[in-house]
Amino acid sequence: MKSNITDQLQHIQQCIQAAQKQSLYTHDVTLLAVSKAHPAAAIKELYQANQRDFGENYVKEFTEKATQLADLDITWHYIGALQSNKTQAIAQHASWIHSIDRFKIAQRLSQQRPEHLPDLNICVQINFDHEPQKAGIAPEAAAELMTRLQTLPRLKLRGIMCIPKPEKNKESSLEKFGKIQQAFVQLCQQFPELDTLSMGMSHDLEEAIIQGSTMVRVGRALFGERPAKSHSSPL
Ligand SMILES: *Cc1c(COP(=O)(O)O)cnc(C)c1O
């Protein structure tokens, strides 16, 4: 019998396809399964259903799972807060980081990325709503940071990530994502190597895809509600 998570995966894949049909954009959309607070067994189950991209946002939990599931061909994305004393584990285990917002952290990751691994893919997190409590660089400062990031070896600049404020309805959500997409296009003119617009989560993936998202980060809609944990993020 198929489990609930596998059913949910199919359902989300169908939502993604339906949103792509409504979109003017024709690129592929990657589903990033955000497995934070869920056990390695749940990851294995989705892996058996051919899901390959998984996202985590606590360094300790991420390192434990990546070590435990090292025999699986998983592409790990680190999407959480970055502290300079914890970059080593991420440089060793992740293929992607979505949450770069400081040069210094990127510099450490560049130095710590093991030689035998491919370049670490990075996205700059942009705080489009200028919310003081949230991570991310101000939109007007993104290009300057990217220019500096380009100089770092063993990192590959791929795009931007954002967590916009939830909007009150679908129209304003579409409008918000449309503005972010325009900002992304502008950055692409300056940095032609960019190919990743990481936006859209469980509650707004449809609107994000319609407006050109290339990667949606989905937790709750796949795995169900996260069990309460003392270190849970406010998200
Ligand atoms: C937890 C998290 C998600 C997934 O959120 P859901 O609402 O569970 O889909 C996406 N992005 C980031 C950065 C997260 O921390």
Side-chain angles (χ1 to χ4, degrees):
M1 221 177 69
K2 269 194 313 180
S3 85
N4 211 7
I5 309 182
T6 311
D7 284 346
Q8 278 309 107
L9 176 63
Q10 265 184 14
H11 172 68
I12 298 293
Q13 285 165 343
Q14 283 160 7
C15 291
I16 291 174
Q17 282 170 16
Q20 282 181 285
K21 287 205 183 111
Q22 294 178 65
S23 173
L24 297 172
Y25 303 94
T26 54
H27 53 247
D28 289 338
V29 176
T30 302
L31 169 60
L32 175 58
V34 178
S35 44
K36 64 186 181 200
H38 293 282
I43 297 176
K44 266 194 186 161
E45 205 172 316
L46 284 189
Y47 183 88
Q48 273 152 18
N50 285 323
Q51 175 66 29
R52 288 295 177 268
D53 290 273
F54 290 88
E56 290 284 339
N57 75 339
Y58 299 103
V59 176
K60 185 164 175 282
E61 183 182 344
F62 165 58
T63 312
E64 283 166 9
K65 286 178 182 167
T67 309
Q68 199 180 341
L69 300 172
D71 55 326
L72 304 185
D73 176 31
I74 288 179
T75 302
W76 288 107
H77 299 241
Y78 186 77
I79 59 176
L82 286 161
Q83 291 169 299
S84 43
N85 60 344
K86 293 188 180 159
T87 49
Q88 182 100 44
I90 300 169
Q92 281 172 3
H93 295 288
S95 297
W96 286 75
I97 301 184
H98 292 228
S99 41
I100 297 288
D101 60 3
R102 275 169 294 162
F103 180 74
K104 194 153 172 271
I105 295 277
Q107 200 174 27
R108 287 181 69 88
L109 290 162
S110 166
Q111 286 158 358
Q112 292 166 342
R113 181 68 168 173
E115 296 275 358
H116 68 278
L117 292 178
D119 288 353
L120 184 55
N121 296 297
I122 57 172
C123 292
V124 168
Q125 182 173 354
I126 303 183
N127 185 349
F128 281 100
D129 297 310
H130 295 95
E131 292 175 277
Q133 79 283 13
K134 271 196 195 159
I137 191 166
E140 53 279 7
E144 197 200 326
L145 176 60
M146 286 183 170
T147 303
R148 299 182 71 198
L149 295 176
Q150 277 182 319
T151 65
L152 294 172
R154 292 195 286 282
L155 302 185
K156 188 163 188 223
L157 184 59
R158 296 295 298 267
I160 65 174
M161 185 273 261
C162 60
I163 314 174
K165 274 201 292 229
E167 295 291 332
K168 50 190 181 308
N169 57 45
K170 205 176 151 167
E171 285 67 42
S172 41
S173 184
L174 283 170
E175 196 184 318
K176 167 76 67 63
F177 284 132
K179 285 192 180 138
I180 294 172
Q181 204 278 338
Q182 284 166 20
F184 178 61
V185 167
Q186 282 199 350
L187 286 168
C188 289
Q189 283 162 6
Q190 199 176 340
F191 306 94
E193 69 270 36
L194 301 187
D195 62 3
T196 303
L197 177 52
S198 167
M199 69 176 186
M201 304 172 31
S202 293
H203 65 281
D204 56 12
L205 70 100
E206 182 189 357
E207 293 91 323
I209 291 170
I210 292 174
Q211 296 292 35
S213 168
T214 70
M215 199 180 290
V216 287
R217 308 178 309 272
V218 180
R220 278 173 288 196
L222 264 180
F223 294 96
E225 285 301 320
R226 288 181 277 279
K229 262 198 181 175
S230 53
H231 63 251
S232 265
S233 88
L235 278 169

PDB file of all heavy atoms in Angstrom, residues 34 36 57 79 161 163 201-203 217-221 226 235, ligand 1:
ATOM      1  N   VAL A  34      11.159  19.858   1.636  1.00  0.00           N
ATOM      2  CA  VAL A  34      11.748  20.408   2.860  1.00  0.00           C
ATOM      3  C   VAL A  34      11.417  19.477   4.031  1.00  0.00           C
ATOM      4  O   VAL A  34      10.296  19.452   4.532  1.00  0.00           O
ATOM      5  CB  VAL A  34      11.247  21.836   3.126  1.00  0.00           C
ATOM      6  CG1 VAL A  34      11.833  22.377   4.429  1.00  0.00           C
ATOM      7  CG2 VAL A  34      11.617  22.753   1.958  1.00  0.00           C
ATOM      8  N   LYS A  36      12.771  19.196   7.096  1.00  0.00           N
ATOM      9  CA  LYS A  36      13.116  19.596   8.464  1.00  0.00           C
ATOM     10  C   LYS A  36      12.074  19.100   9.463  1.00  0.00           C
ATOM     11  O   LYS A  36      10.876  19.145   9.178  1.00  0.00           O
ATOM     12  CB  LYS A  36      13.260  21.112   8.560  1.00  0.00           C
ATOM     13  CG  LYS A  36      11.970  21.865   8.278  1.00  0.00           C
ATOM     14  CD  LYS A  36      12.202  23.377   8.240  1.00  0.00           C
ATOM     15  CE  LYS A  36      10.910  24.110   7.980  1.00  0.00           C
ATOM     16  NZ  LYS A  36      11.094  25.459   7.469  1.00  0.00           N
ATOM     17  N   ASN A  57      17.020  22.985   7.302  1.00  0.00           N
ATOM     18  CA  ASN A  57      17.439  24.316   7.739  1.00  0.00           C
ATOM     19  C   ASN A  57      18.000  24.412   9.158  1.00  0.00           C
ATOM     20  O   ASN A  57      18.088  25.510   9.703  1.00  0.00           O
ATOM     21  CB  ASN A  57      16.336  25.348   7.501  1.00  0.00           C
ATOM     22  CG  ASN A  57      15.235  25.224   8.508  1.00  0.00           C
ATOM     23  OD1 ASN A  57      15.086  24.160   9.117  1.00  0.00           O
ATOM     24  ND2 ASN A  57      14.485  26.284   8.709  1.00  0.00           N
ATOM     25  N   ILE A  79      18.850  25.428   3.512  1.00  0.00           N
ATOM     26  CA  ILE A  79      18.021  26.613   3.278  1.00  0.00           C
ATOM     27  C   ILE A  79      17.884  27.474   4.531  1.00  0.00           C
ATOM     28  O   ILE A  79      17.095  28.417   4.558  1.00  0.00           O
ATOM     29  CB  ILE A  79      16.611  26.210   2.769  1.00  0.00           C
ATOM     30  CG1 ILE A  79      15.894  25.305   3.784  1.00  0.00           C
ATOM     31  CG2 ILE A  79      16.707  25.492   1.423  1.00  0.00           C
ATOM     32  CD1 ILE A  79      14.462  24.948   3.378  1.00  0.00           C
ATOM     33  N   MET A 161      16.941  33.409  -3.651  1.00  0.00           N
ATOM     34  CA  MET A 161      15.896  32.754  -2.865  1.00  0.00           C
ATOM     35  C   MET A 161      15.161  33.823  -2.079  1.00  0.00           C
ATOM     36  O   MET A 161      15.770  34.809  -1.641  1.00  0.00           O
ATOM     37  CB  MET A 161      16.522  31.741  -1.914  1.00  0.00           C
ATOM     38  CG  MET A 161      15.523  30.910  -1.117  1.00  0.00           C
ATOM     39  SD  MET A 161      14.959  31.650   0.419  1.00  0.00           S
ATOM     40  CE  MET A 161      16.007  30.826   1.606  1.00  0.00           C
ATOM     41  N   ILE A 163      11.625  34.529   0.752  1.00  0.00           N
ATOM     42  CA  ILE A 163      10.484  34.075   1.564  1.00  0.00           C
ATOM     43  C   ILE A 163       9.587  35.289   1.782  1.00  0.00           C
ATOM     44  O   ILE A 163       9.613  35.911   2.843  1.00  0.00           O
ATOM     45  CB  ILE A 163      10.943  33.544   2.942  1.00  0.00           C
ATOM     46  CG1 ILE A 163      12.133  32.598   2.804  1.00  0.00           C
ATOM     47  CG2 ILE A 163       9.786  32.878   3.673  1.00  0.00           C
ATOM     48  CD1 ILE A 163      12.727  32.148   4.146  1.00  0.00           C
ATOM     49  N   MET A 201       6.308  28.217  -1.488  1.00  0.00           N
ATOM     50  CA  MET A 201       6.307  27.209  -0.436  1.00  0.00           C
ATOM     51  C   MET A 201       4.928  26.532  -0.466  1.00  0.00           C
ATOM     52  O   MET A 201       4.177  26.712  -1.415  1.00  0.00           O
ATOM     53  CB  MET A 201       6.585  27.874   0.917  1.00  0.00           C
ATOM     54  CG  MET A 201       7.877  28.649   0.861  1.00  0.00           C
ATOM     55  SD  MET A 201       8.342  29.726   2.261  1.00  0.00           S
ATOM     56  CE  MET A 201       7.661  28.994   3.697  1.00  0.00           C
ATOM     57  N   SER A 202       4.622  25.774   0.579  1.00  0.00           N
ATOM     58  CA  SER A 202       3.347  25.021   0.571  1.00  0.00           C
ATOM     59  C   SER A 202       2.144  25.899   0.234  1.00  0.00           C
ATOM     60  O   SER A 202       1.286  25.504  -0.547  1.00  0.00           O
ATOM     61  CB  SER A 202       3.113  24.369   1.934  1.00  0.00           C
ATOM     62  OG  SER A 202       4.058  23.362   2.174  1.00  0.00           O
ATOM     63  N   HIS A 203       2.091  27.095   0.820  1.00  0.00           N
ATOM     64  CA  HIS A 203       0.866  27.876   0.701  1.00  0.00           C
ATOM     65  C   HIS A 203       0.794  28.725  -0.562  1.00  0.00           C
ATOM     66  O   HIS A 203      -0.260  29.261  -0.882  1.00  0.00           O
ATOM     67  CB  HIS A 203       0.677  28.775   1.936  1.00  0.00           C
ATOM     68  CG  HIS A 203       1.745  29.830   2.052  1.00  0.00           C
ATOM     69  ND1 HIS A 203       3.003  29.559   2.536  1.00  0.00           N
ATOM     70  CD2 HIS A 203       1.734  31.143   1.723  1.00  0.00           C
ATOM     71  CE1 HIS A 203       3.717  30.678   2.509  1.00  0.00           C
ATOM     72  NE2 HIS A 203       2.973  31.649   2.017  1.00  0.00           N
ATOM     73  N   ARG A 217       9.982  25.232  -2.627  1.00  0.00           N
ATOM     74  CA  ARG A 217      10.457  24.556  -1.403  1.00  0.00           C
ATOM     75  C   ARG A 217       9.234  24.175  -0.570  1.00  0.00           C
ATOM     76  O   ARG A 217       8.595  25.025   0.028  1.00  0.00           O
ATOM     77  CB  ARG A 217      11.365  25.495  -0.608  1.00  0.00           C
ATOM     78  CG  ARG A 217      12.502  26.119  -1.439  1.00  0.00           C
ATOM     79  CD  ARG A 217      13.326  27.080  -0.579  1.00  0.00           C
ATOM     80  NE  ARG A 217      12.502  28.039   0.120  1.00  0.00           N
ATOM     81  CZ  ARG A 217      12.119  29.223  -0.360  1.00  0.00           C
ATOM     82  NH1 ARG A 217      12.517  29.635  -1.548  1.00  0.00           N
ATOM     83  NH2 ARG A 217      11.358  30.016   0.356  1.00  0.00           N
ATOM     84  N   VAL A 218       8.922  22.883  -0.559  1.00  0.00           N
ATOM     85  CA  VAL A 218       7.645  22.454   0.017  1.00  0.00           C
ATOM     86  C   VAL A 218       7.863  21.523   1.206  1.00  0.00           C
ATOM     87  O   VAL A 218       8.482  20.470   1.071  1.00  0.00           O
ATOM     88  CB  VAL A 218       6.781  21.763  -1.064  1.00  0.00           C
ATOM     89  CG1 VAL A 218       5.450  21.325  -0.467  1.00  0.00           C
ATOM     90  CG2 VAL A 218       6.563  22.693  -2.241  1.00  0.00           C
ATOM     91  N   GLY A 219       7.369  21.942   2.355  1.00  0.00           N
ATOM     92  CA  GLY A 219       7.468  21.135   3.571  1.00  0.00           C
ATOM     93  C   GLY A 219       6.124  20.554   3.964  1.00  0.00           C
ATOM     94  O   GLY A 219       5.800  19.407   3.665  1.00  0.00           O
ATOM     95  N   ARG A 220       5.325  21.380   4.644  1.00  0.00           N
ATOM     96  CA  ARG A 220       4.056  20.902   5.220  1.00  0.00           C
ATOM     97  C   ARG A 220       3.136  20.193   4.234  1.00  0.00           C
ATOM     98  O   ARG A 220       2.512  19.191   4.572  1.00  0.00           O
ATOM     99  CB  ARG A 220       3.296  22.081   5.827  1.00  0.00           C
ATOM    100  CG  ARG A 220       3.791  22.407   7.210  1.00  0.00           C
ATOM    101  CD  ARG A 220       3.147  23.656   7.721  1.00  0.00           C
ATOM    102  NE  ARG A 220       3.677  24.805   7.011  1.00  0.00           N
ATOM    103  CZ  ARG A 220       3.543  26.053   7.418  1.00  0.00           C
ATOM    104  NH1 ARG A 220       2.857  26.304   8.498  1.00  0.00           N
ATOM    105  NH2 ARG A 220       4.073  27.040   6.736  1.00  0.00           N
ATOM    106  N   ALA A 221       3.033  20.717   3.005  1.00  0.00           N
ATOM    107  CA  ALA A 221       2.099  20.111   2.051  1.00  0.00           C
ATOM    108  C   ALA A 221       2.550  18.708   1.648  1.00  0.00           C
ATOM    109  O   ALA A 221       1.760  17.916   1.144  1.00  0.00           O
ATOM    110  CB  ALA A 221       1.958  21.000   0.816  1.00  0.00           C
ATOM    111  N   ARG A 226       4.699  20.033  10.969  1.00  0.00           N
ATOM    112  CA  ARG A 226       5.921  19.648  11.664  1.00  0.00           C
ATOM    113  C   ARG A 226       5.638  19.460  13.146  1.00  0.00           C
ATOM    114  O   ARG A 226       4.963  20.289  13.747  1.00  0.00           O
ATOM    115  CB  ARG A 226       6.980  20.730  11.483  1.00  0.00           C
ATOM    116  CG  ARG A 226       7.543  20.779  10.082  1.00  0.00           C
ATOM    117  CD  ARG A 226       8.603  21.830   9.928  1.00  0.00           C
ATOM    118  NE  ARG A 226       8.060  23.163   9.681  1.00  0.00           N
ATOM    119  CZ  ARG A 226       7.647  23.598   8.492  1.00  0.00           C
ATOM    120  NH1 ARG A 226       7.693  22.819   7.441  1.00  0.00           N
ATOM    121  NH2 ARG A 226       7.185  24.814   8.348  1.00  0.00           N
ATOM    122  N   LEU A 235       8.872  29.876  11.030  1.00  0.00           N
ATOM    123  CA  LEU A 235       8.196  29.676   9.750  1.00  0.00           C
ATOM    124  C   LEU A 235       7.066  28.654   9.830  1.00  0.00           C
ATOM    125  O   LEU A 235       7.262  27.579  10.331  1.00  0.00           O
ATOM    126  CB  LEU A 235       9.212  29.187   8.710  1.00  0.00           C
ATOM    127  CG  LEU A 235      10.018  30.311   8.081  1.00  0.00           C
ATOM    128  CD1 LEU A 235      11.168  29.738   7.285  1.00  0.00           C
ATOM    129  CD2 LEU A 235       9.133  31.138   7.151  1.00  0.00           C
TER     130      LEU A 235
HETATM  131  C1  LIG B   1      10.418  25.463   6.280  1.00  0.00           C
HETATM  132  C2  LIG B   1      10.812  26.190   5.059  1.00  0.00           C
HETATM  133  C3  LIG B   1      10.114  25.987   3.850  1.00  0.00           C
HETATM  134  C4  LIG B   1       8.898  25.089   3.720  1.00  0.00           C
HETATM  135  O1  LIG B   1       7.777  25.673   4.304  1.00  0.00           O
HETATM  136  P1  LIG B   1       6.339  24.959   4.228  1.00  0.00           P
HETATM  137  O2  LIG B   1       5.393  26.028   4.597  1.00  0.00           O
HETATM  138  O3  LIG B   1       6.366  23.835   5.194  1.00  0.00           O
HETATM  139  O4  LIG B   1       6.159  24.472   2.830  1.00  0.00           O
HETATM  140  C5  LIG B   1      10.559  26.672   2.726  1.00  0.00           C
HETATM  141  N1  LIG B   1      11.629  27.496   2.777  1.00  0.00           N
HETATM  142  C6  LIG B   1      12.314  27.709   3.898  1.00  0.00           C
HETATM  143  C7  LIG B   1      13.481  28.639   3.881  1.00  0.00           C
HETATM  144  C8  LIG B   1      11.941  27.061   5.084  1.00  0.00           C
HETATM  145  O5  LIG B   1      12.629  27.284   6.205  1.00  0.00           O
END
